[in-house]
Amino acid sequence: MSGPRTIEDASGFRGSPASIHNPATIAELAAVLRDAARAHAPVAIAGGLTGVTGGAIPGPDSCAAWMISLDRMAGLRVDGDTAIAGAGVSLETLHRAAARAGLFYPPDPTEWTASVGGSIATNASGSRSFLYGATRRWIRALTVVMADGEIRRFERGHAVDFPVPRIPLPSTTKNTAGYPLAPGMDWVDLIAGSEGTLAVVAEAELALLPAPRDLITGVVFFDSEEGAIAAVDAWRGVEGLRMLEYMDRASLDLVRARFEDTPQAGAALLYEQEADDDAVDAWVDRIDAAGASPDIAWLAASQADRERFRHLRHALPEAVNDTVRRNGFLKLGSDYAAPVARNREMFEAYRRRLKREFQGAYVLFGHVGDAHLHANILPRSQAEFDRGKEAMLDLAREAVAMGGTVSAEHGLGKRKRHLLELQYLAGEIAAMRAVKTRLDPEWRLSPGNLFA
């Protein structure tokens, strides 16, 4: 245990817990939570601190909160097609362990230093969610510690043993806003995505798949944003496609400092398909038909090329975070998703608002195959920051009006909890709050996350 110090997540959200606890085992974690229960102390749960919504950080209304850091809970073994991972295991460590066994873990959140526990807490997804969906789908069992220190294990198929109503969900491929309540739902599905508000994930049993023998990967550069979005519609149905990612002109300009050979272009699409080399010619034809030049496209010829393309995509949010830190303001980022059929409408809504008010101070990128783009405003002044907050709120309303979600993969945490009421009716939020009260009667776990 250590005393107060300032803690910061990847978005720059800061807080100062009263004390920090670093359990190394499930038993130690349970003991800390029992001590917190006796002291009636609120508890914040931290993993890799890669979140962007303040979920792991004690809020200003929880100055007496304890922080439990799970980074020492890092046990990992691969048993057949299952990885048994402590909450503190990094995704990079998990991916590498799976690869050594000839397997892979399907979810691919952008930040590989994120922890297994944090990715479960937010039901994280990432680029491969186009084919494989989010983290929740790949959980076989969870060992959790409840607010009072009780250790429980939930396997896939273990139904919640108390009545819950059905909450209407958005018509999107991804959603991690609130609790996806439904009668008879799995405990696993309730805990995953609950942002540490119902229980603390200590260990997870995660499904692995055989590593694909062949992958076709490429980065295609377009003269215009319109050309790239038209190609998305044409390519979305390609068999075996597991990744379809978008980067606008400003995104390419931002990563060019790290990848100097990035062409000058209006937009780019990153794709990856599980297929053999025979599919390469089909991609050359698709690229040509889309009005882009196969000659300047980057086509992977090796695993090293694929790794380089992954680093290109992952370098963008890092560059965004560096920029906002230099500017001295918190990042303003959207995590909204629309129904796939309304992808173009949501894209146009972003582009109209951002070009009109934030020219030169925004990037638009992300999981376009799932109609899940990230708009990041990079404010350079207090006035721009204030206008950015209002713009993000309006864009959230537009996503919901289309049948979308206010959070597709990052969760709401403390910074975005006000968006919950845009997506759900008061009675639906009351039902979520009733579940929270049932499992955490004093509301001590992750106070301020999801609910004010």
Side-chain angles (χ1 to χ4, degrees):
M1 181 175 73
S2 60
R5 63 187 177 96
T6 299
I7 307 295
E8 181 176 339
D9 74 358
S11 74
F13 189 90
R14 296 179 177 180
S16 299
S19 58
I20 301 175
H21 305 256
N22 298 87
T25 66
I26 297 173
E28 290 178 6
L29 172 60
V32 173
L33 284 166
R34 286 195 297 270
D35 289 344
R38 283 191 289 268
H40 303 284
V43 177
I45 314 300
L49 293 174
T50 59
V52 293
T53 65
I57 309 297
D61 49 353
S62 301
C63 58
W66 298 9
M67 173 176 280
I68 300 179
S69 174
L70 303 178
D71 58 351
R72 294 179 63 210
M73 300 186 66
L76 174 65
R77 71 181 191 278
V78 174
D79 184 1
D81 63 353
T82 302
I84 299 90
V89 171
S90 72
L91 293 178
E92 181 175 17
T93 300
L94 173 59
H95 285 309
R96 295 193 188 286
R100 287 194 294 271
L103 303 166
F104 82 106
Y105 178 54
D108 185 31
T110 299
E111 182 48 72
W112 274 22
T113 62
S115 67
V116 165
S119 68
I120 292 170
T122 58
N123 189 33
S125 48
S127 58
R128 290 200 296 250
S129 64
F130 180 77
L131 181 61
Y132 293 114
T135 296
R136 184 182 281 126
R137 175 177 169 185
W138 301 97
I139 302 172
R140 289 182 168 160
L142 291 176
T143 299
V144 305
V145 184
M146 310 305 287
D148 61 0
E150 179 188 8
I151 300 170
R152 300 189 68 177
R153 183 175 185 274
F154 300 119
E155 296 180 3
R156 174 62 69 186
H158 285 179
V160 170
D161 52 1
F162 56 88
V164 294
R166 185 174 301 279
I167 298 293
L169 298 179
S171 304
T172 54
T173 63
K174 306 162 72 174
N175 175 52
T176 187
Y179 310 150
L181 301 182
M185 71 182 300
D186 274 17
W187 272 104
V188 166
D189 291 335
L190 178 61
I191 299 299
S194 63
E195 303 193 47
T197 60
L198 301 178
V200 182
V201 174
E203 185 177 82
E205 297 175 27
L206 304 168
L208 306 175
L209 292 179
R213 293 181 57 186
D214 299 291
L215 290 172
I216 305 296
T217 309
V219 184
V220 184
F221 300 95
F222 294 82
D223 291 336
S224 68
E225 297 172 332
E226 292 83 356
I229 295 301
V232 170
D233 295 336
W235 297 353
R236 187 179 275 115
V238 171
E239 183 178 0
L241 192 67
R242 69 177 192 172
M243 181 188 303
L244 192 55
E245 299 283 295
Y246 175 81
M247 300 172 77
D248 71 354
R249 182 188 299 274
S251 299
L252 296 174
D253 291 343
L254 203 56
V255 299
R256 192 172 290 109
R258 305 183 187 197
F259 293 82
E260 295 179 357
D261 56 341
T262 302
Q264 297 287 338
L269 292 177
L270 168 62
Y271 67 84
E272 188 163 84
Q273 179 190 15
E274 294 184 6
D276 58 28
D277 289 343
D278 292 340
V280 172
D281 289 342
W283 275 107
V284 172
D285 292 341
R286 286 189 193 102
I287 294 167
D288 188 57
S293 172
D295 295 334
I296 64 169
W298 295 350
L299 304 179
S302 65
Q303 177 58 33
D305 287 339
R306 283 191 288 274
E307 190 68 6
R308 183 172 183 268
F309 298 169
R310 185 184 71 81
H311 283 303
L312 171 75
R313 169 62 180 84
H314 289 201
L316 179 54
E318 294 173 2
V320 167
N321 290 340
D322 289 346
T323 301
V324 294
R325 288 192 188 99
R326 287 196 304 271
N327 290 351
F329 294 90
L330 289 175
K331 179 173 68 176
L332 295 169
S334 76
D335 187 28
Y336 317 143
V340 167
R342 306 191 73 169
N343 177 56
R344 188 182 290 267
E345 289 177 71
M346 193 67 212
F347 172 79
E348 291 294 345
Y350 279 128
R351 190 166 65 164
R352 281 194 306 271
R353 187 66 177 265
L354 297 176
K355 279 193 171 183
R356 184 173 73 241
E357 296 188 36
F358 304 98
Q359 191 68 43
Y362 78 89
V363 293
L364 186 60
F365 66 95
H367 320 302
V368 70
D370 285 308
H372 174 209
L373 288 171
H374 295 300
N376 282 187
I377 298 172
L378 316 177
R380 297 160 293 193
S381 67
Q382 185 62 48
E384 205 164 51
F385 181 80
D386 293 340
R387 282 192 290 110
K389 287 200 299 182
E390 191 62 36
M392 284 299 177
L393 197 58
D394 290 342
L395 288 163
R397 293 189 181 101
E398 293 208 43
V400 171
M402 293 180 193
T405 177
V406 296
S407 179
E409 67 178 358
H410 292 158
L412 297 175
K414 299 172 185 67
R415 292 194 61 199
K416 299 184 178 183
R417 66 190 183 191
H418 60 284
L419 300 178
L420 194 67
E421 64 188 28
L422 299 185
Q423 185 167 327
Y424 298 102
L425 300 175
E428 295 160 356
I429 295 176
M432 297 181 198
R433 294 174 68 94
V435 172
K436 164 73 170 168
T437 300
R438 186 182 188 104
L439 300 183
D440 180 18
E442 294 186 310
W443 280 58
R444 292 184 300 98
L445 291 183
S446 301
N449 284 5
L450 287 179
F451 313 107

Short mmCIF file of all heavy atoms in Angstrom, two decimals, residues 33-68:
data_model
loop_
_atom_site.label_atom_id
_atom_site.label_comp_id
_atom_site.label_asym_id
_atom_site.label_seq_id
_atom_site.Cartn_x
_atom_site.Cartn_y
_atom_site.Cartn_z
N LEU A 33 -10.52 -5.92 -0.71
CA LEU A 33 -11.91 -5.52 -0.85
C LEU A 33 -12.70 -5.72 0.45
O LEU A 33 -13.60 -4.95 0.76
CB LEU A 33 -12.56 -6.28 -2.01
CG LEU A 33 -12.14 -5.76 -3.39
CD1 LEU A 33 -12.51 -6.74 -4.50
CD2 LEU A 33 -12.77 -4.40 -3.67
N ARG A 34 -12.34 -6.73 1.21
CA ARG A 34 -12.98 -6.89 2.53
C ARG A 34 -12.60 -5.75 3.45
O ARG A 34 -13.44 -5.21 4.19
CB ARG A 34 -12.60 -8.24 3.15
CG ARG A 34 -13.29 -9.45 2.52
CD ARG A 34 -13.15 -10.69 3.38
NE ARG A 34 -11.76 -11.09 3.54
CZ ARG A 34 -11.12 -11.92 2.73
NH1 ARG A 34 -11.74 -12.42 1.66
NH2 ARG A 34 -9.86 -12.26 2.95
N ASP A 35 -11.32 -5.36 3.42
CA ASP A 35 -10.88 -4.22 4.23
C ASP A 35 -11.60 -2.94 3.80
O ASP A 35 -12.02 -2.13 4.64
CB ASP A 35 -9.36 -4.02 4.08
CG ASP A 35 -8.55 -5.11 4.78
OD1 ASP A 35 -9.13 -5.84 5.61
OD2 ASP A 35 -7.34 -5.23 4.46
N ALA A 36 -11.75 -2.75 2.51
CA ALA A 36 -12.45 -1.56 2.01
C ALA A 36 -13.91 -1.57 2.45
O ALA A 36 -14.47 -0.53 2.81
CB ALA A 36 -12.36 -1.49 0.49
N ALA A 37 -14.52 -2.76 2.45
CA ALA A 37 -15.92 -2.86 2.89
C ALA A 37 -16.05 -2.48 4.36
O ALA A 37 -16.99 -1.76 4.74
CB ALA A 37 -16.44 -4.28 2.64
N ARG A 38 -15.11 -2.96 5.18
CA ARG A 38 -15.17 -2.62 6.61
C ARG A 38 -14.97 -1.12 6.82
O ARG A 38 -15.56 -0.53 7.73
CB ARG A 38 -14.12 -3.42 7.37
CG ARG A 38 -14.51 -4.88 7.62
CD ARG A 38 -13.57 -5.54 8.61
NE ARG A 38 -12.25 -5.76 8.02
CZ ARG A 38 -11.89 -6.88 7.41
NH1 ARG A 38 -12.76 -7.89 7.28
NH2 ARG A 38 -10.66 -7.01 6.91
N ALA A 39 -14.15 -0.51 5.98
CA ALA A 39 -13.88 0.92 6.11
C ALA A 39 -14.90 1.78 5.36
O ALA A 39 -14.82 3.01 5.40
CB ALA A 39 -12.47 1.23 5.59
N HIS A 40 -15.84 1.13 4.65
CA HIS A 40 -16.83 1.83 3.82
C HIS A 40 -16.12 2.74 2.81
O HIS A 40 -16.60 3.84 2.50
CB HIS A 40 -17.80 2.64 4.68
CG HIS A 40 -18.52 1.82 5.71
ND1 HIS A 40 -19.55 0.97 5.40
CD2 HIS A 40 -18.31 1.71 7.05
CE1 HIS A 40 -19.98 0.37 6.50
NE2 HIS A 40 -19.24 0.79 7.52
N ALA A 41 -14.99 2.27 2.29
CA ALA A 41 -14.17 3.08 1.38
C ALA A 41 -14.55 2.81 -0.07
O ALA A 41 -14.66 1.65 -0.48
CB ALA A 41 -12.69 2.77 1.58
N PRO A 42 -14.72 3.85 -0.86
CA PRO A 42 -14.89 3.65 -2.30
C PRO A 42 -13.60 3.14 -2.92
O PRO A 42 -12.50 3.41 -2.41
CB PRO A 42 -15.25 5.04 -2.82
CG PRO A 42 -14.70 5.98 -1.81
CD PRO A 42 -14.76 5.27 -0.49
N VAL A 43 -13.72 2.39 -4.01
CA VAL A 43 -12.57 1.72 -4.61
C VAL A 43 -12.54 1.97 -6.11
O VAL A 43 -13.54 1.71 -6.81
CB VAL A 43 -12.61 0.20 -4.34
CG1 VAL A 43 -11.44 -0.49 -5.03
CG2 VAL A 43 -12.59 -0.09 -2.85
N ALA A 44 -11.43 2.45 -6.62
CA ALA A 44 -11.20 2.56 -8.06
C ALA A 44 -10.30 1.40 -8.49
O ALA A 44 -9.39 1.02 -7.76
CB ALA A 44 -10.54 3.89 -8.41
N ILE A 45 -10.57 0.84 -9.67
CA ILE A 45 -9.84 -0.33 -10.14
C ILE A 45 -9.00 0.07 -11.34
O ILE A 45 -9.52 0.57 -12.34
CB ILE A 45 -10.80 -1.47 -10.55
CG1 ILE A 45 -11.89 -1.66 -9.49
CG2 ILE A 45 -10.02 -2.74 -10.81
CD1 ILE A 45 -11.36 -2.03 -8.13
N ALA A 46 -7.69 -0.17 -11.28
CA ALA A 46 -6.77 0.24 -12.34
C ALA A 46 -6.10 -0.97 -12.98
O ALA A 46 -5.74 -1.93 -12.30
CB ALA A 46 -5.71 1.19 -11.79
N GLY A 47 -5.93 -0.89 -14.29
CA GLY A 47 -5.17 -1.89 -15.02
C GLY A 47 -3.95 -1.23 -15.64
O GLY A 47 -3.05 -0.77 -14.96
N GLY A 48 -3.96 -1.12 -16.98
CA GLY A 48 -2.82 -0.51 -17.67
C GLY A 48 -2.90 0.99 -17.79
O GLY A 48 -1.99 1.62 -18.33
N LEU A 49 -3.99 1.61 -17.27
CA LEU A 49 -4.20 3.05 -17.34
C LEU A 49 -4.18 3.57 -18.78
O LEU A 49 -3.78 4.69 -19.06
CB LEU A 49 -3.17 3.81 -16.49
CG LEU A 49 -3.30 3.60 -14.98
CD1 LEU A 49 -2.15 4.28 -14.25
CD2 LEU A 49 -4.63 4.13 -14.45
N THR A 50 -4.64 2.71 -19.70
CA THR A 50 -4.71 3.10 -21.11
C THR A 50 -6.09 3.61 -21.50
O THR A 50 -6.31 3.98 -22.66
CB THR A 50 -4.35 1.91 -22.02
OG1 THR A 50 -5.28 0.84 -21.76
CG2 THR A 50 -2.94 1.42 -21.75
N GLY A 51 -7.03 3.64 -20.56
CA GLY A 51 -8.38 4.09 -20.85
C GLY A 51 -8.43 5.56 -21.19
O GLY A 51 -7.52 6.32 -20.85
N VAL A 52 -9.53 5.97 -21.84
CA VAL A 52 -9.66 7.36 -22.26
C VAL A 52 -10.92 8.01 -21.70
O VAL A 52 -11.33 9.07 -22.17
CB VAL A 52 -9.66 7.46 -23.81
CG1 VAL A 52 -8.30 7.07 -24.36
CG2 VAL A 52 -10.76 6.61 -24.43
N THR A 53 -11.52 7.40 -20.68
CA THR A 53 -12.74 7.96 -20.11
C THR A 53 -12.65 8.18 -18.60
O THR A 53 -13.65 8.49 -17.97
CB THR A 53 -13.95 7.04 -20.39
OG1 THR A 53 -13.76 5.79 -19.69
CG2 THR A 53 -14.12 6.77 -21.87
N GLY A 54 -11.48 8.04 -18.02
CA GLY A 54 -11.32 8.24 -16.58
C GLY A 54 -11.85 7.10 -15.74
O GLY A 54 -12.02 7.25 -14.53
N GLY A 55 -12.11 5.95 -16.35
CA GLY A 55 -12.72 4.85 -15.62
C GLY A 55 -11.90 4.32 -14.46
O GLY A 55 -12.45 3.87 -13.46
N ALA A 56 -10.57 4.34 -14.59
CA ALA A 56 -9.70 3.79 -13.55
C ALA A 56 -9.27 4.82 -12.52
O ALA A 56 -8.60 4.47 -11.54
CB ALA A 56 -8.46 3.17 -14.19
N ILE A 57 -9.66 6.07 -12.72
CA ILE A 57 -9.16 7.16 -11.89
C ILE A 57 -10.24 7.60 -10.90
O ILE A 57 -11.38 7.81 -11.30
CB ILE A 57 -8.77 8.37 -12.77
CG1 ILE A 57 -7.85 7.93 -13.91
CG2 ILE A 57 -8.12 9.46 -11.93
CD1 ILE A 57 -6.53 7.35 -13.47
N PRO A 58 -9.90 7.75 -9.61
CA PRO A 58 -10.89 8.30 -8.67
C PRO A 58 -11.32 9.69 -9.11
O PRO A 58 -10.48 10.53 -9.46
CB PRO A 58 -10.14 8.35 -7.34
CG PRO A 58 -9.00 7.40 -7.48
CD PRO A 58 -8.62 7.42 -8.93
N GLY A 59 -12.63 9.93 -9.14
CA GLY A 59 -13.13 11.23 -9.55
C GLY A 59 -13.02 12.26 -8.44
O GLY A 59 -12.69 11.92 -7.28
N PRO A 60 -13.27 13.50 -8.75
CA PRO A 60 -13.18 14.58 -7.74
C PRO A 60 -14.18 14.41 -6.60
O PRO A 60 -13.98 14.97 -5.52
CB PRO A 60 -13.47 15.84 -8.55
CG PRO A 60 -14.19 15.37 -9.76
CD PRO A 60 -13.63 14.02 -10.06
N ASP A 61 -15.24 13.60 -6.85
CA ASP A 61 -16.22 13.37 -5.80
C ASP A 61 -15.88 12.13 -4.98
O ASP A 61 -16.68 11.67 -4.17
CB ASP A 61 -17.63 13.23 -6.40
CG ASP A 61 -17.68 12.25 -7.56
OD1 ASP A 61 -16.60 11.79 -7.99
OD2 ASP A 61 -18.78 11.96 -8.05
N SER A 62 -14.69 11.55 -5.20
CA SER A 62 -14.27 10.34 -4.48
C SER A 62 -12.85 10.50 -3.97
O SER A 62 -11.99 9.63 -4.17
CB SER A 62 -14.37 9.11 -5.39
OG SER A 62 -15.67 8.92 -5.86
N CYS A 63 -12.57 11.62 -3.30
CA CYS A 63 -11.20 11.91 -2.90
C CYS A 63 -10.67 10.93 -1.86
O CYS A 63 -9.47 10.80 -1.68
CB CYS A 63 -11.10 13.34 -2.38
SG CYS A 63 -12.20 13.70 -0.99
N ALA A 64 -11.58 10.21 -1.16
CA ALA A 64 -11.15 9.24 -0.17
C ALA A 64 -11.03 7.83 -0.75
O ALA A 64 -10.86 6.86 -0.03
CB ALA A 64 -12.12 9.22 1.01
N ALA A 65 -11.11 7.70 -2.06
CA ALA A 65 -11.13 6.38 -2.69
C ALA A 65 -9.79 5.69 -2.58
O ALA A 65 -8.73 6.31 -2.68
CB ALA A 65 -11.53 6.51 -4.15
N TRP A 66 -9.86 4.37 -2.38
CA TRP A 66 -8.70 3.53 -2.52
C TRP A 66 -8.57 3.19 -4.00
O TRP A 66 -9.55 3.08 -4.72
CB TRP A 66 -8.85 2.23 -1.75
CG TRP A 66 -8.99 2.37 -0.27
CD1 TRP A 66 -9.17 3.51 0.46
CD2 TRP A 66 -9.00 1.29 0.68
NE1 TRP A 66 -9.28 3.23 1.80
CE2 TRP A 66 -9.17 1.87 1.96
CE3 TRP A 66 -8.88 -0.08 0.58
CZ2 TRP A 66 -9.23 1.10 3.12
CZ3 TRP A 66 -8.93 -0.86 1.73
CH2 TRP A 66 -9.10 -0.27 2.99
N MET A 67 -7.34 3.00 -4.46
CA MET A 67 -7.12 2.47 -5.80
C MET A 67 -6.51 1.08 -5.67
O MET A 67 -5.55 0.88 -4.91
CB MET A 67 -6.19 3.36 -6.63
CG MET A 67 -5.80 2.74 -7.97
SD MET A 67 -4.80 3.83 -9.00
CE MET A 67 -6.08 4.87 -9.68
N ILE A 68 -7.07 0.12 -6.40
CA ILE A 68 -6.50 -1.22 -6.47
C ILE A 68 -5.89 -1.38 -7.85
O ILE A 68 -6.60 -1.37 -8.86
CB ILE A 68 -7.56 -2.30 -6.23
CG1 ILE A 68 -8.19 -2.13 -4.84
CG2 ILE A 68 -6.94 -3.69 -6.36
CD1 ILE A 68 -9.28 -3.15 -4.54
#
